[in-house]
Amino acid sequence: STDLLLEVPAGDEALESALHANQIDMTLIPNYLTMAKAYVANGDAAMAAAVLQTYTIYEPDDVTAAVTLGMVYNQTGKYDQALAVLNRALESDPRDAEAYNQRGYAYLNQEKGNLAEADFKLAVAYDPWNFEAHLGLARAYFIQGNPGDAYVQVETNAYPLARTNETRAQ
């Protein structure tokens, strides 16, 4: 879910403003978060990761930024790095549904279905309206050889939350 940090409007203007501010004062740490938001909004996960790495060094207690860094690591296929940052985020906030969701996807992409299943169950326990977590749980069941459970999970829990044709197709 890319809505974690998207309070900055998408588009080049927001990114240009953040980059300009960074050129003026590289020590302004909150601006790194603004740049990361703009990169995420523009779909540039690699650049968002680079900026978030810097930001989280100076703001290690910002769980939302850490979860977003885990998300962009997942998007760029860096699953071990995603797991490391998401584990730290969950140490700080063990009830963060999106952290469990993102860690579940990291495990899923490493084909660790049992670990993914456990995380997706926690994600839906803390946020029962999370479509991606319900879908992830179904995928975890499927890769563990339980297609019946996967079908029931999708039909009962994920599909009712699908709001667009794209999510219905998933």
Side-chain angles (χ1 to χ4, degrees):
S1 170
T2 57
D3 59 340
L4 292 172
L5 290 177
L6 296 184
E7 294 174 21
V8 167
D12 294 333
E13 187 175 317
L15 182 56
E16 287 176 23
S17 295
L19 291 171
H20 181 68
N22 186 255
Q23 288 174 340
I24 293 170
D25 186 357
M26 290 179 57
T27 64
L28 189 61
I29 300 305
N31 188 56
Y32 285 87
L33 183 58
T34 302
M35 286 190 303
K37 291 176 184 180
Y39 281 126
V40 169
N42 286 320
D44 192 341
M47 287 302 295
V51 174
L52 282 167
Q53 287 168 351
T54 300
Y55 177 78
T56 56
I57 288 171
Y58 296 100
E59 295 292 341
D61 297 330
D62 188 333
V63 174
T64 301
V67 172
T68 303
L69 181 56
M71 177 191 70
V72 295
Y73 280 149
N74 276 340
Q75 290 175 350
T76 57
K78 297 177 180 176
Y79 306 119
D80 288 333
Q81 290 169 294
L83 290 171
V85 73
L86 292 165
N87 287 336
R88 285 193 305 273
L90 286 165
E91 286 173 12
S92 296
D93 184 0
R95 298 175 58 89
D96 190 301
E98 189 58 27
Y100 285 113
N101 183 50
Q102 290 299 323
R103 193 171 74 173
Y105 274 103
Y107 284 135
L108 196 63
N109 284 301
Q110 291 182 331
E111 298 185 17
K112 297 177 180 175
N114 58 333
L115 295 173
E117 176 186 343
D119 276 354
F120 288 127
K121 283 182 175 179
L122 286 167
V124 300
Y126 291 124
D127 181 5
W129 308 112
N130 188 328
F131 169 78
E132 290 180 4
H134 283 291
L135 189 61
L137 182 56
R139 290 181 60 202
Y141 289 147
F142 189 80
I143 69 167
Q144 292 180 86
N146 299 314
D149 291 343
Y151 174 79
V152 170
Q153 175 64 24
V154 168
E155 193 66 28
T156 305
N157 298 307
Y159 190 76
L161 297 174
R163 301 284 181 241
T164 66
N165 287 337
E166 181 183 343
T167 55
R168 286 183 195 100
Q170 290 176 344

